[in-house]
Amino acid sequence: MVSWPTPAAILIRLAALVFLHAAYSAWEVRGLAKTAGVEIPSTLGSPLPVDIIAQAFISFILLATGVIWSATPLKKISWASEMSKRCIDSEDSRLSFANVRHRGSVLFAETD
Amino acid sequence: MSSASTSCILLQLADYRTETRRHAHKVVQLGQHLIQRGWASSSTDELWTVLEQVATAAVESGQLSLADVCASRLATQFPDSPRVALLQGVILEGKGEVLEAKRWYEQLLDKDEHNTNIRKRLITLHLTSPSSSSTTLTKGKSSTSTSAAGGLSREKGLEMLVEHLDTVYNDIEGWSQLASVYAGMGLYPQSLSALSHLLLLAPHNPFHLLHHAETAYTLGDYPLAWKEFSRVVEMCEGVTKGDKEGSGGAGRRAAVGAKLVSGVRRSL
């Protein structure tokens, strides 16, 4: 069954691609600058063009947003909320002392 | 259900392992699906826990051949394991050979007397046998006479259980079982005291408090029952809180109990 990925998954994939592209462009620009002997003025501490830095930051923010968006819903931590999900059958079951000789062998036997 | 993927089935079985509810027929059904798909020939780590789970469920559902197959598979993989020995004992119990099972467990306890799981199965064997005083009335029944001749009785089980709880105080299931054995005999004050030990060990669990409240109500101690029922409702933060189906939690049952108590108190 083919299904569309969720919007959060699409966002993660796109943002990751753009982020990697920003990293690749930064590497390429540094390599080209070195061979051409050109000194790029440093912005925010690194000698890269402004647009590459902007691309890296924005794609990172989008990637982080996508990851947080796709996280499983938070669970409550109080005992009361945990206990409200349990049912009395699971609390009183006493599995180690369970009797195995009951009518289950009659009710669920293989029908020959 | 039969079109569910293998990983779904495995997840469901893992859920059943943590849930501790007693629905053996569902586990057996899922186990049979897995075996039909030939998953049992793969050798993942999860295979062995699933085999153990399916084997115990198969004993309860009367499918002893399936249980035997799973147990023999486990025995070849883990030759001297106490867990596999326990499983073999459970299969003996399921076949109805109670004296054989008793001998098997006692043998295992001789080898290692600290194995609490084996001791608990032996206690269960005693507790699910008729009480030693009833054999005089049922002379004709062969099963009663064999179990009595083998020394299996409910009183012995009770004695062993109390001894076990003296050694291992923090066994929550043990205290719960003791309370229900006393209640089954009609000894409600003793049941209440067993439940109070249980409350010391697991104070956060509203279900145990609910059990205590209901036992107090049966005993006739209405002020105590009223206090405890209200305490359970307070612990569960109200009556209607629960999961989506609205069936979870102890609040609703405690509220019904409180209503019953208030009805009795008005008539006193």
Side-chain angles (χ1 to χ4, degrees):
Chain A
M1 195 175 78
V2 179
S3 62
W4 277 107
T6 60
I10 295 174
L11 181 62
I12 289 176
R13 287 169 206 192
L14 285 177
L17 277 174
V18 174
F19 190 62
L20 289 172
H21 177 262
Y24 173 73
S25 331
W27 175 73
E28 196 179 6
V29 148
R30 294 288 302 138
L32 286 175
K34 199 165 183 184
T35 52
V38 172
E39 197 56 43
I40 307 176
S42 53
T43 352
L44 285 180
S46 53
L48 289 174
V50 182
D51 53 345
I52 293 182
I53 293 180
Q55 185 184 348
F57 269 113
I58 292 174
S59 63
F60 178 73
I61 289 170
L62 285 175
L63 183 61
T65 312
V67 167
I68 293 171
W69 190 8
S70 68
T72 49
L74 296 171
K75 293 191 194 149
K76 300 199 184 148
I77 59 170
S78 67
W79 270 120
S81 56
E82 173 61 32
M83 287 297 157
S84 67
K85 289 201 212 90
R86 307 254 187 104
C87 78
I88 202 166
D89 290 330
S90 58
E91 294 302 314
D92 278 344
S93 64
R94 302 185 292 262
L95 275 181
S96 322
F97 293 99
N99 181 19
V100 292
R101 290 171 287 145
H102 49 64
R103 60 193 173 178
S105 52
V106 179
L107 283 172
F108 304 116
E110 289 158 337
T111 47
D112 296 317
Chain B
M1 169 72 152
S2 55
S3 59
S5 68
T6 314
S7 52
C8 273
I9 294 185
L10 288 172
L11 267 174
Q12 180 74 300
L13 281 172
D15 271 337
Y16 284 161
R17 278 200 294 275
T18 49
E19 217 182 28
T20 70
R21 279 171 83 162
R22 302 202 48 192
H23 37 209
H25 53 286
K26 290 190 194 169
V27 175
V28 167
Q29 215 173 23
L30 291 176
Q32 278 170 335
H33 279 306
L34 281 178
I35 289 174
Q36 271 164 13
R37 293 180 193 193
W39 180 78
S41 50
S42 71
S43 50
T44 49
D45 284 326
E46 215 183 341
L47 172 67
W48 311 114
T49 24
V50 169
L51 275 181
E52 189 188 14
Q53 188 185 8
V54 171
T56 24
V59 172
E60 284 198 53
S61 310
Q63 309 208 357
L64 294 163
S65 50
L66 175 61
D68 274 327
V69 163
C70 294
S72 57
R73 192 83 201 276
L74 283 165
T76 46
Q77 178 70 14
F78 304 104
D80 272 318
S81 160
R83 266 171 85 168
V84 176
L86 182 83
L87 181 60
Q88 286 167 334
V90 171
I91 293 179
L92 280 173
E93 277 188 61
K95 287 184 180 161
E97 300 169 15
V98 284
L99 295 177
E100 259 306 307
K102 175 173 182 270
R103 232 172 288 139
W104 180 252
Y105 289 140
E106 282 173 352
Q107 223 173 34
L108 289 168
L109 280 174
D110 281 333
K111 267 194 271 176
D112 175 20
E113 61 173 25
H114 298 297
N115 193 336
T116 43
N117 291 326
I118 305 267
R119 194 174 296 277
K120 287 191 205 182
R121 286 314 311 171
L122 186 54
I123 291 173
T124 316
L125 210 51
H126 279 291
L127 286 174
T128 53
S129 311
S131 67
S132 52
S133 57
S134 72
T135 50
T136 51
L137 298 169
T138 57
K139 273 187 222 164
K141 289 211 177 136
S142 57
S143 62
T144 333
S145 54
T146 46
S147 50
L152 282 173
S153 76
R154 205 159 62 155
E155 282 79 20
K156 181 88 174 65
L158 187 57
E159 204 183 293
M160 283 185 74
L161 183 54
V162 172
E163 200 186 312
H164 165 72
L165 288 169
D166 274 337
T167 14
V168 184
Y169 182 73
N170 57 1
D171 185 7
I172 290 184
E173 284 185 337
W175 285 111
S176 185
Q177 179 71 18
L178 185 65
S180 98
V181 170
Y182 277 136
M185 293 179 177
L187 302 169
Y188 298 111
Q190 283 88 333
S191 179
L192 201 65
S193 68
L195 285 172
S196 61
H197 285 283
L198 184 58
L199 288 177
L200 275 177
L201 291 169
H204 55 265
N205 196 330
F207 293 101
H208 298 146
L209 195 57
L210 180 66
H211 198 173
H212 193 258
E214 288 178 349
T215 313
Y217 176 72
T218 315
L219 197 47
D221 190 351
Y222 300 117
L224 180 63
W226 173 253
K227 257 198 310 198
E228 305 254 296
F229 278 129
S230 335
R231 181 96 182 92
V232 178
V233 173
E234 184 197 6
M235 251 183 164
C236 296
E237 294 175 359
V239 176
T240 50
K241 193 133 186 170
D243 57 357
K244 293 185 286 280
E245 296 122 19
S247 58
R252 204 166 284 167
R253 194 163 154 156
V256 171
K259 259 187 106 79
L260 285 172
V261 173
S262 67
V264 170
R265 287 177 83 187
R266 227 175 287 131
S267 68
L268 280 172

